[in-house]
Amino acid sequence: MSSKIKATEALNAGKEAVETAVATSAAAATKGIEQAQVAVKEQLATVMTNATGAFKAVEDVVDFQKGTIEAFVKSGQIWAAGVQDMGKALFAQAQANMEEGMATAKALAQVKSLKEAMDLQGAFAKTAVEKAVAEAVKTQESTVKLVETAFAPVADRAKLAMEKFSKPLPGFSNAA
């Protein structure tokens, strides 16, 4: 065998080895690229799912806060109307007390004896105390009812917040 044949055979063997190595490397690279593309697509899908869940959660929080502000406004309106009504009632009560005092003063001016004046003054004082106690109880009951009514919308929102936000956000888990 001549050296020319041996060189040709060696060259052909080297060429085949290079072609095999290139083909194997190309196949491995193609497979690696395909796997990387699949992994990137899966990660992108996960990111998009989580982002969509996060955006939805933010929208839910904004909507919830809008409802909370509305509850506070409603609570304030109820409170203001209740305080106004109680003020009117207290003013009417004070006016009635003043009229009774004036009537008693006129009656005192027309008494004929000290005993009659003492009896009239005693009756006025007894009636005034009884009315004051009754009005104080009525005012206390009205105040308690007003507080309960005025803060009911806020209490309802707090209850709803506990129910709504004790659940995990969509797309997220509680596991750390």
Side-chain angles (χ1 to χ4, degrees):
M1 223 190 212
S2 75
S3 61
K4 188 176 178 184
I5 294 176
K6 286 183 184 177
T8 303
E9 288 176 3
L11 188 60
N12 286 340
K15 183 179 174 186
E16 285 179 28
V18 168
E19 287 175 353
T20 302
V22 168
T24 303
S25 296
T30 302
K31 186 176 179 182
I33 290 171
E34 289 172 354
Q35 289 174 341
Q37 286 175 337
V38 168
V40 167
K41 285 180 184 177
E42 288 173 355
Q43 288 177 348
L44 186 57
T46 301
V47 166
M48 291 305 292
T49 299
N50 288 344
T52 301
F55 289 137
K56 176 69 174 124
V58 169
E59 287 176 3
D60 289 348
V61 168
V62 169
D63 288 342
F64 185 81
Q65 288 300 67
K66 181 181 176 187
T68 300
I69 290 169
E70 290 169 356
F72 273 99
V73 168
K74 184 177 180 181
S75 178
Q77 290 170 340
I78 293 169
W79 179 259
V83 168
Q84 185 177 20
D85 289 346
M86 288 177 64
K88 287 177 184 177
L90 290 172
F91 181 76
Q93 175 191 352
Q95 195 171 20
N97 289 343
M98 186 153 51
E99 289 172 2
E100 287 179 28
M102 295 298 284
T104 301
K106 285 181 185 177
L108 279 173
Q110 297 175 359
V111 295
K112 305 284 186 215
S113 70
L114 183 59
K115 180 175 180 344
E116 190 178 346
M118 294 296 281
D119 289 344
L120 185 61
Q121 185 63 29
F124 172 74
K126 180 181 176 191
T127 303
V129 168
E130 289 172 352
K131 283 184 179 180
V133 169
E135 287 299 323
V137 169
K138 183 178 172 184
T139 300
Q140 180 184 8
E141 290 170 353
S142 296
T143 302
V144 169
K145 184 177 180 183
L146 174 60
V147 168
E148 289 173 351
T149 304
F151 289 104
V154 175
D156 291 344
R157 288 307 285 182
K159 181 180 176 185
L160 183 61
M162 292 301 293
E163 292 170 2
K164 186 174 187 89
F165 296 114
S166 64
K167 300 173 188 171
L169 295 174
F172 295 96
S173 67
N174 286 339

PDB file of all heavy atoms in Angstrom, residues 25-60:
ATOM      1  N   SER A  25     -22.903  17.254  17.022  1.00  0.00           N
ATOM      2  CA  SER A  25     -22.957  18.553  17.698  1.00  0.00           C
ATOM      3  C   SER A  25     -24.167  19.356  17.251  1.00  0.00           C
ATOM      4  O   SER A  25     -24.844  19.996  18.061  1.00  0.00           O
ATOM      5  CB  SER A  25     -21.683  19.349  17.426  1.00  0.00           C
ATOM      6  OG  SER A  25     -20.571  18.704  17.975  1.00  0.00           O
ATOM      7  N   ALA A  26     -24.466  19.338  15.954  1.00  0.00           N
ATOM      8  CA  ALA A  26     -25.616  20.072  15.423  1.00  0.00           C
ATOM      9  C   ALA A  26     -26.911  19.510  15.995  1.00  0.00           C
ATOM     10  O   ALA A  26     -27.816  20.259  16.388  1.00  0.00           O
ATOM     11  CB  ALA A  26     -25.622  20.024  13.902  1.00  0.00           C
ATOM     12  N   ALA A  27     -26.997  18.159  16.049  1.00  0.00           N
ATOM     13  CA  ALA A  27     -28.202  17.538  16.609  1.00  0.00           C
ATOM     14  C   ALA A  27     -28.349  17.890  18.084  1.00  0.00           C
ATOM     15  O   ALA A  27     -29.453  18.216  18.559  1.00  0.00           O
ATOM     16  CB  ALA A  27     -28.143  16.020  16.412  1.00  0.00           C
ATOM     17  N   ALA A  28     -27.250  17.845  18.816  1.00  0.00           N
ATOM     18  CA  ALA A  28     -27.286  18.182  20.248  1.00  0.00           C
ATOM     19  C   ALA A  28     -27.648  19.651  20.443  1.00  0.00           C
ATOM     20  O   ALA A  28     -28.435  20.005  21.329  1.00  0.00           O
ATOM     21  CB  ALA A  28     -25.942  17.860  20.900  1.00  0.00           C
ATOM     22  N   ALA A  29     -27.071  20.509  19.612  1.00  0.00           N
ATOM     23  CA  ALA A  29     -27.381  21.937  19.718  1.00  0.00           C
ATOM     24  C   ALA A  29     -28.846  22.201  19.387  1.00  0.00           C
ATOM     25  O   ALA A  29     -29.523  22.973  20.076  1.00  0.00           O
ATOM     26  CB  ALA A  29     -26.471  22.744  18.790  1.00  0.00           C
ATOM     27  N   THR A  30     -29.353  21.562  18.334  1.00  0.00           N
ATOM     28  CA  THR A  30     -30.761  21.728  17.960  1.00  0.00           C
ATOM     29  C   THR A  30     -31.663  21.261  19.088  1.00  0.00           C
ATOM     30  O   THR A  30     -32.636  21.936  19.448  1.00  0.00           O
ATOM     31  CB  THR A  30     -31.067  20.953  16.660  1.00  0.00           C
ATOM     32  OG1 THR A  30     -30.208  21.433  15.628  1.00  0.00           O
ATOM     33  CG2 THR A  30     -32.510  21.121  16.248  1.00  0.00           C
ATOM     34  N   LYS A  31     -31.333  20.090  19.646  1.00  0.00           N
ATOM     35  CA  LYS A  31     -32.132  19.558  20.760  1.00  0.00           C
ATOM     36  C   LYS A  31     -32.071  20.501  21.965  1.00  0.00           C
ATOM     37  O   LYS A  31     -33.081  20.790  22.600  1.00  0.00           O
ATOM     38  CB  LYS A  31     -31.631  18.173  21.145  1.00  0.00           C
ATOM     39  CG  LYS A  31     -32.479  17.499  22.192  1.00  0.00           C
ATOM     40  CD  LYS A  31     -32.007  16.090  22.486  1.00  0.00           C
ATOM     41  CE  LYS A  31     -32.871  15.454  23.549  1.00  0.00           C
ATOM     42  NZ  LYS A  31     -32.429  14.105  23.890  1.00  0.00           N
ATOM     43  N   GLY A  32     -30.889  21.026  22.267  1.00  0.00           N
ATOM     44  CA  GLY A  32     -30.731  21.961  23.383  1.00  0.00           C
ATOM     45  C   GLY A  32     -31.517  23.239  23.158  1.00  0.00           C
ATOM     46  O   GLY A  32     -32.158  23.760  24.077  1.00  0.00           O
ATOM     47  N   ILE A  33     -31.508  23.752  21.937  1.00  0.00           N
ATOM     48  CA  ILE A  33     -32.262  24.963  21.600  1.00  0.00           C
ATOM     49  C   ILE A  33     -33.755  24.707  21.741  1.00  0.00           C
ATOM     50  O   ILE A  33     -34.490  25.525  22.308  1.00  0.00           O
ATOM     51  CB  ILE A  33     -31.895  25.453  20.186  1.00  0.00           C
ATOM     52  CG1 ILE A  33     -30.469  26.009  20.186  1.00  0.00           C
ATOM     53  CG2 ILE A  33     -32.886  26.501  19.691  1.00  0.00           C
ATOM     54  CD1 ILE A  33     -29.921  26.319  18.810  1.00  0.00           C
ATOM     55  N   GLU A  34     -34.201  23.545  21.256  1.00  0.00           N
ATOM     56  CA  GLU A  34     -35.629  23.209  21.366  1.00  0.00           C
ATOM     57  C   GLU A  34     -36.043  23.114  22.835  1.00  0.00           C
ATOM     58  O   GLU A  34     -37.100  23.600  23.228  1.00  0.00           O
ATOM     59  CB  GLU A  34     -35.918  21.895  20.628  1.00  0.00           C
ATOM     60  CG  GLU A  34     -35.842  22.016  19.117  1.00  0.00           C
ATOM     61  CD  GLU A  34     -35.927  20.663  18.406  1.00  0.00           C
ATOM     62  OE1 GLU A  34     -35.941  19.608  19.098  1.00  0.00           O
ATOM     63  OE2 GLU A  34     -35.964  20.666  17.168  1.00  0.00           O
ATOM     64  N   GLN A  35     -35.207  22.468  23.653  1.00  0.00           N
ATOM     65  CA  GLN A  35     -35.506  22.351  25.087  1.00  0.00           C
ATOM     66  C   GLN A  35     -35.517  23.729  25.754  1.00  0.00           C
ATOM     67  O   GLN A  35     -36.371  24.012  26.588  1.00  0.00           O
ATOM     68  CB  GLN A  35     -34.493  21.435  25.772  1.00  0.00           C
ATOM     69  CG  GLN A  35     -34.651  19.977  25.408  1.00  0.00           C
ATOM     70  CD  GLN A  35     -33.545  19.100  25.998  1.00  0.00           C
ATOM     71  OE1 GLN A  35     -32.488  19.583  26.381  1.00  0.00           O
ATOM     72  NE2 GLN A  35     -33.807  17.797  26.051  1.00  0.00           N
ATOM     73  N   ALA A  36     -34.591  24.563  25.372  1.00  0.00           N
ATOM     74  CA  ALA A  36     -34.541  25.914  25.934  1.00  0.00           C
ATOM     75  C   ALA A  36     -35.778  26.702  25.532  1.00  0.00           C
ATOM     76  O   ALA A  36     -36.367  27.432  26.351  1.00  0.00           O
ATOM     77  CB  ALA A  36     -33.279  26.634  25.480  1.00  0.00           C
ATOM     78  N   GLN A  37     -36.208  26.565  24.270  1.00  0.00           N
ATOM     79  CA  GLN A  37     -37.411  27.259  23.812  1.00  0.00           C
ATOM     80  C   GLN A  37     -38.640  26.796  24.581  1.00  0.00           C
ATOM     81  O   GLN A  37     -39.471  27.604  24.987  1.00  0.00           O
ATOM     82  CB  GLN A  37     -37.613  27.036  22.307  1.00  0.00           C
ATOM     83  CG  GLN A  37     -36.658  27.812  21.434  1.00  0.00           C
ATOM     84  CD  GLN A  37     -36.818  27.476  19.957  1.00  0.00           C
ATOM     85  OE1 GLN A  37     -37.313  26.416  19.588  1.00  0.00           O
ATOM     86  NE2 GLN A  37     -36.389  28.405  19.108  1.00  0.00           N
ATOM     87  N   VAL A  38     -38.755  25.482  24.812  1.00  0.00           N
ATOM     88  CA  VAL A  38     -39.884  24.942  25.576  1.00  0.00           C
ATOM     89  C   VAL A  38     -39.856  25.493  26.999  1.00  0.00           C
ATOM     90  O   VAL A  38     -40.882  25.938  27.541  1.00  0.00           O
ATOM     91  CB  VAL A  38     -39.868  23.396  25.570  1.00  0.00           C
ATOM     92  CG1 VAL A  38     -40.844  22.833  26.597  1.00  0.00           C
ATOM     93  CG2 VAL A  38     -40.184  22.868  24.180  1.00  0.00           C
ATOM     94  N   ALA A  39     -38.663  25.499  27.613  1.00  0.00           N
ATOM     95  CA  ALA A  39     -38.539  25.999  28.993  1.00  0.00           C
ATOM     96  C   ALA A  39     -38.892  27.480  29.068  1.00  0.00           C
ATOM     97  O   ALA A  39     -39.609  27.917  29.981  1.00  0.00           O
ATOM     98  CB  ALA A  39     -37.116  25.761  29.506  1.00  0.00           C
ATOM     99  N   VAL A  40     -38.419  28.269  28.092  1.00  0.00           N
ATOM    100  CA  VAL A  40     -38.729  29.703  28.073  1.00  0.00           C
ATOM    101  C   VAL A  40     -40.229  29.919  27.889  1.00  0.00           C
ATOM    102  O   VAL A  40     -40.840  30.761  28.558  1.00  0.00           O
ATOM    103  CB  VAL A  40     -37.908  30.428  26.972  1.00  0.00           C
ATOM    104  CG1 VAL A  40     -38.446  31.825  26.716  1.00  0.00           C
ATOM    105  CG2 VAL A  40     -36.447  30.471  27.356  1.00  0.00           C
ATOM    106  N   LYS A  41     -40.847  29.139  27.000  1.00  0.00           N
ATOM    107  CA  LYS A  41     -42.303  29.263  26.782  1.00  0.00           C
ATOM    108  C   LYS A  41     -43.066  28.925  28.055  1.00  0.00           C
ATOM    109  O   LYS A  41     -44.022  29.614  28.416  1.00  0.00           O
ATOM    110  CB  LYS A  41     -42.751  28.353  25.633  1.00  0.00           C
ATOM    111  CG  LYS A  41     -42.384  28.866  24.269  1.00  0.00           C
ATOM    112  CD  LYS A  41     -42.864  27.918  23.176  1.00  0.00           C
ATOM    113  CE  LYS A  41     -42.421  28.387  21.796  1.00  0.00           C
ATOM    114  NZ  LYS A  41     -42.825  27.453  20.738  1.00  0.00           N
ATOM    115  N   GLU A  42     -42.654  27.874  28.749  1.00  0.00           N
ATOM    116  CA  GLU A  42     -43.326  27.487  30.001  1.00  0.00           C
ATOM    117  C   GLU A  42     -43.161  28.577  31.059  1.00  0.00           C
ATOM    118  O   GLU A  42     -44.113  28.925  31.750  1.00  0.00           O
ATOM    119  CB  GLU A  42     -42.766  26.157  30.512  1.00  0.00           C
ATOM    120  CG  GLU A  42     -43.183  24.966  29.684  1.00  0.00           C
ATOM    121  CD  GLU A  42     -42.487  23.674  30.112  1.00  0.00           C
ATOM    122  OE1 GLU A  42     -41.599  23.712  31.003  1.00  0.00           O
ATOM    123  OE2 GLU A  42     -42.842  22.622  29.550  1.00  0.00           O
ATOM    124  N   GLN A  43     -41.935  29.108  31.177  1.00  0.00           N
ATOM    125  CA  GLN A  43     -41.692  30.161  32.159  1.00  0.00           C
ATOM    126  C   GLN A  43     -42.479  31.420  31.806  1.00  0.00           C
ATOM    127  O   GLN A  43     -43.050  32.069  32.686  1.00  0.00           O
ATOM    128  CB  GLN A  43     -40.196  30.473  32.251  1.00  0.00           C
ATOM    129  CG  GLN A  43     -39.409  29.384  32.937  1.00  0.00           C
ATOM    130  CD  GLN A  43     -37.921  29.673  32.966  1.00  0.00           C
ATOM    131  OE1 GLN A  43     -37.440  30.576  32.291  1.00  0.00           O
ATOM    132  NE2 GLN A  43     -37.181  28.893  33.752  1.00  0.00           N
ATOM    133  N   LEU A  44     -42.519  31.741  30.532  1.00  0.00           N
ATOM    134  CA  LEU A  44     -43.282  32.912  30.094  1.00  0.00           C
ATOM    135  C   LEU A  44     -44.766  32.726  30.377  1.00  0.00           C
ATOM    136  O   LEU A  44     -45.437  33.658  30.830  1.00  0.00           O
ATOM    137  CB  LEU A  44     -43.049  33.173  28.596  1.00  0.00           C
ATOM    138  CG  LEU A  44     -43.653  34.442  28.023  1.00  0.00           C
ATOM    139  CD1 LEU A  44     -43.160  35.672  28.777  1.00  0.00           C
ATOM    140  CD2 LEU A  44     -43.338  34.571  26.546  1.00  0.00           C
ATOM    141  N   ALA A  45     -45.286  31.519  30.142  1.00  0.00           N
ATOM    142  CA  ALA A  45     -46.696  31.239  30.433  1.00  0.00           C
ATOM    143  C   ALA A  45     -46.966  31.389  31.930  1.00  0.00           C
ATOM    144  O   ALA A  45     -47.977  31.977  32.336  1.00  0.00           O
ATOM    145  CB  ALA A  45     -47.068  29.843  29.961  1.00  0.00           C
ATOM    146  N   THR A  46     -46.038  30.897  32.768  1.00  0.00           N
ATOM    147  CA  THR A  46     -46.199  31.023  34.218  1.00  0.00           C
ATOM    148  C   THR A  46     -46.164  32.489  34.640  1.00  0.00           C
ATOM    149  O   THR A  46     -46.991  32.937  35.446  1.00  0.00           O
ATOM    150  CB  THR A  46     -45.092  30.236  34.950  1.00  0.00           C
ATOM    151  OG1 THR A  46     -45.182  28.874  34.558  1.00  0.00           O
ATOM    152  CG2 THR A  46     -45.226  30.355  36.443  1.00  0.00           C
ATOM    153  N   VAL A  47     -45.219  33.233  34.078  1.00  0.00           N
ATOM    154  CA  VAL A  47     -45.117  34.659  34.396  1.00  0.00           C
ATOM    155  C   VAL A  47     -46.393  35.380  33.976  1.00  0.00           C
ATOM    156  O   VAL A  47     -46.930  36.207  34.726  1.00  0.00           O
ATOM    157  CB  VAL A  47     -43.868  35.284  33.718  1.00  0.00           C
ATOM    158  CG1 VAL A  47     -43.922  36.800  33.753  1.00  0.00           C
ATOM    159  CG2 VAL A  47     -42.611  34.777  34.392  1.00  0.00           C
ATOM    160  N   MET A  48     -46.898  35.089  32.804  1.00  0.00           N
ATOM    161  CA  MET A  48     -48.121  35.756  32.320  1.00  0.00           C
ATOM    162  C   MET A  48     -49.320  35.402  33.198  1.00  0.00           C
ATOM    163  O   MET A  48     -50.133  36.259  33.514  1.00  0.00           O
ATOM    164  CB  MET A  48     -48.387  35.392  30.856  1.00  0.00           C
ATOM    165  CG  MET A  48     -47.374  35.994  29.896  1.00  0.00           C
ATOM    166  SD  MET A  48     -47.234  37.791  30.031  1.00  0.00           S
ATOM    167  CE  MET A  48     -48.814  38.293  29.424  1.00  0.00           C
ATOM    168  N   THR A  49     -49.400  34.129  33.593  1.00  0.00           N
ATOM    169  CA  THR A  49     -50.501  33.714  34.477  1.00  0.00           C
ATOM    170  C   THR A  49     -50.421  34.456  35.806  1.00  0.00           C
ATOM    171  O   THR A  49     -51.421  34.990  36.295  1.00  0.00           O
ATOM    172  CB  THR A  49     -50.446  32.192  34.715  1.00  0.00           C
ATOM    173  OG1 THR A  49     -50.599  31.534  33.456  1.00  0.00           O
ATOM    174  CG2 THR A  49     -51.542  31.747  35.660  1.00  0.00           C
ATOM    175  N   ASN A  50     -49.211  34.496  36.383  1.00  0.00           N
ATOM    176  CA  ASN A  50     -49.043  35.202  37.660  1.00  0.00           C
ATOM    177  C   ASN A  50     -49.290  36.697  37.508  1.00  0.00           C
ATOM    178  O   ASN A  50     -49.890  37.319  38.381  1.00  0.00           O
ATOM    179  CB  ASN A  50     -47.651  34.952  38.231  1.00  0.00           C
ATOM    180  CG  ASN A  50     -47.491  33.540  38.756  1.00  0.00           C
ATOM    181  OD1 ASN A  50     -48.463  32.831  38.964  1.00  0.00           O
ATOM    182  ND2 ASN A  50     -46.258  33.115  38.944  1.00  0.00           N
ATOM    183  N   ALA A  51     -48.826  37.276  36.398  1.00  0.00           N
ATOM    184  CA  ALA A  51     -49.030  38.713  36.177  1.00  0.00           C
ATOM    185  C   ALA A  51     -50.510  39.013  36.014  1.00  0.00           C
ATOM    186  O   ALA A  51     -51.015  39.995  36.566  1.00  0.00           O
ATOM    187  CB  ALA A  51     -48.248  39.181  34.954  1.00  0.00           C
ATOM    188  N   THR A  52     -51.204  38.166  35.271  1.00  0.00           N
ATOM    189  CA  THR A  52     -52.649  38.361  35.098  1.00  0.00           C
ATOM    190  C   THR A  52     -53.346  38.279  36.445  1.00  0.00           C
ATOM    191  O   THR A  52     -54.205  39.103  36.760  1.00  0.00           O
ATOM    192  CB  THR A  52     -53.214  37.303  34.132  1.00  0.00           C
ATOM    193  OG1 THR A  52     -52.549  37.431  32.874  1.00  0.00           O
ATOM    194  CG2 THR A  52     -54.704  37.475  33.935  1.00  0.00           C
ATOM    195  N   GLY A  53     -52.951  37.302  37.262  1.00  0.00           N
ATOM    196  CA  GLY A  53     -53.528  37.174  38.609  1.00  0.00           C
ATOM    197  C   GLY A  53     -53.216  38.388  39.462  1.00  0.00           C
ATOM    198  O   GLY A  53     -54.069  38.883  40.199  1.00  0.00           O
ATOM    199  N   ALA A  54     -51.987  38.886  39.351  1.00  0.00           N
ATOM    200  CA  ALA A  54     -51.596  40.061  40.144  1.00  0.00           C
ATOM    201  C   ALA A  54     -52.369  41.292  39.693  1.00  0.00           C
ATOM    202  O   ALA A  54     -52.841  42.075  40.519  1.00  0.00           O
ATOM    203  CB  ALA A  54     -50.096  40.303  40.025  1.00  0.00           C
ATOM    204  N   PHE A  55     -52.505  41.477  38.375  1.00  0.00           N
ATOM    205  CA  PHE A  55     -53.265  42.630  37.873  1.00  0.00           C
ATOM    206  C   PHE A  55     -54.725  42.540  38.313  1.00  0.00           C
ATOM    207  O   PHE A  55     -55.328  43.533  38.703  1.00  0.00           O
ATOM    208  CB  PHE A  55     -53.175  42.738  36.347  1.00  0.00           C
ATOM    209  CG  PHE A  55     -51.819  43.154  35.854  1.00  0.00           C
ATOM    210  CD1 PHE A  55     -51.248  42.536  34.757  1.00  0.00           C
ATOM    211  CD2 PHE A  55     -51.093  44.158  36.478  1.00  0.00           C
ATOM    212  CE1 PHE A  55     -50.002  42.914  34.291  1.00  0.00           C
ATOM    213  CE2 PHE A  55     -49.852  44.545  36.026  1.00  0.00           C
ATOM    214  CZ  PHE A  55     -49.293  43.913  34.922  1.00  0.00           C
ATOM    215  N   LYS A  56     -55.285  41.346  38.263  1.00  0.00           N
ATOM    216  CA  LYS A  56     -56.665  41.151  38.706  1.00  0.00           C
ATOM    217  C   LYS A  56     -56.772  41.453  40.200  1.00  0.00           C
ATOM    218  O   LYS A  56     -57.723  42.095  40.649  1.00  0.00           O
ATOM    219  CB  LYS A  56     -57.104  39.710  38.418  1.00  0.00           C
ATOM    220  CG  LYS A  56     -58.480  39.361  38.924  1.00  0.00           C
ATOM    221  CD  LYS A  56     -59.572  40.077  38.179  1.00  0.00           C
ATOM    222  CE  LYS A  56     -60.934  39.574  38.619  1.00  0.00           C
ATOM    223  NZ  LYS A  56     -61.803  40.599  39.104  1.00  0.00           N
ATOM    224  N   ALA A  57     -55.777  41.024  40.967  1.00  0.00           N
ATOM    225  CA  ALA A  57     -55.783  41.285  42.413  1.00  0.00           C
ATOM    226  C   ALA A  57     -55.713  42.783  42.685  1.00  0.00           C
ATOM    227  O   ALA A  57     -56.416  43.298  43.557  1.00  0.00           O
ATOM    228  CB  ALA A  57     -54.614  40.565  43.084  1.00  0.00           C
ATOM    229  N   VAL A  58     -54.892  43.498  41.927  1.00  0.00           N
ATOM    230  CA  VAL A  58     -54.797  44.959  42.095  1.00  0.00           C
ATOM    231  C   VAL A  58     -56.134  45.604  41.748  1.00  0.00           C
ATOM    232  O   VAL A  58     -56.604  46.497  42.461  1.00  0.00           O
ATOM    233  CB  VAL A  58     -53.648  45.537  41.233  1.00  0.00           C
ATOM    234  CG1 VAL A  58     -53.707  47.049  41.178  1.00  0.00           C
ATOM    235  CG2 VAL A  58     -52.307  45.075  41.781  1.00  0.00           C
ATOM    236  N   GLU A  59     -56.756  45.166  40.673  1.00  0.00           N
ATOM    237  CA  GLU A  59     -58.075  45.704  40.307  1.00  0.00           C
ATOM    238  C   GLU A  59     -59.088  45.439  41.414  1.00  0.00           C
ATOM    239  O   GLU A  59     -59.891  46.312  41.757  1.00  0.00           O
ATOM    240  CB  GLU A  59     -58.562  45.073  39.004  1.00  0.00           C
ATOM    241  CG  GLU A  59     -57.846  45.557  37.766  1.00  0.00           C
ATOM    242  CD  GLU A  59     -58.287  44.826  36.503  1.00  0.00           C
ATOM    243  OE1 GLU A  59     -59.200  43.977  36.574  1.00  0.00           O
ATOM    244  OE2 GLU A  59     -57.717  45.106  35.443  1.00  0.00           O
ATOM    245  N   ASP A  60     -59.047  44.231  41.969  1.00  0.00           N
ATOM    246  CA  ASP A  60     -59.963  43.892  43.060  1.00  0.00           C
ATOM    247  C   ASP A  60     -59.735  44.784  44.271  1.00  0.00           C
ATOM    248  O   ASP A  60     -60.686  45.237  44.908  1.00  0.00           O
ATOM    249  CB  ASP A  60     -59.808  42.420  43.468  1.00  0.00           C
ATOM    250  CG  ASP A  60     -60.343  41.456  42.417  1.00  0.00           C
ATOM    251  OD1 ASP A  60     -61.038  41.914  41.485  1.00  0.00           O
ATOM    252  OD2 ASP A  60     -60.055  40.245  42.523  1.00  0.00           O
TER     253      ASP A  60
END
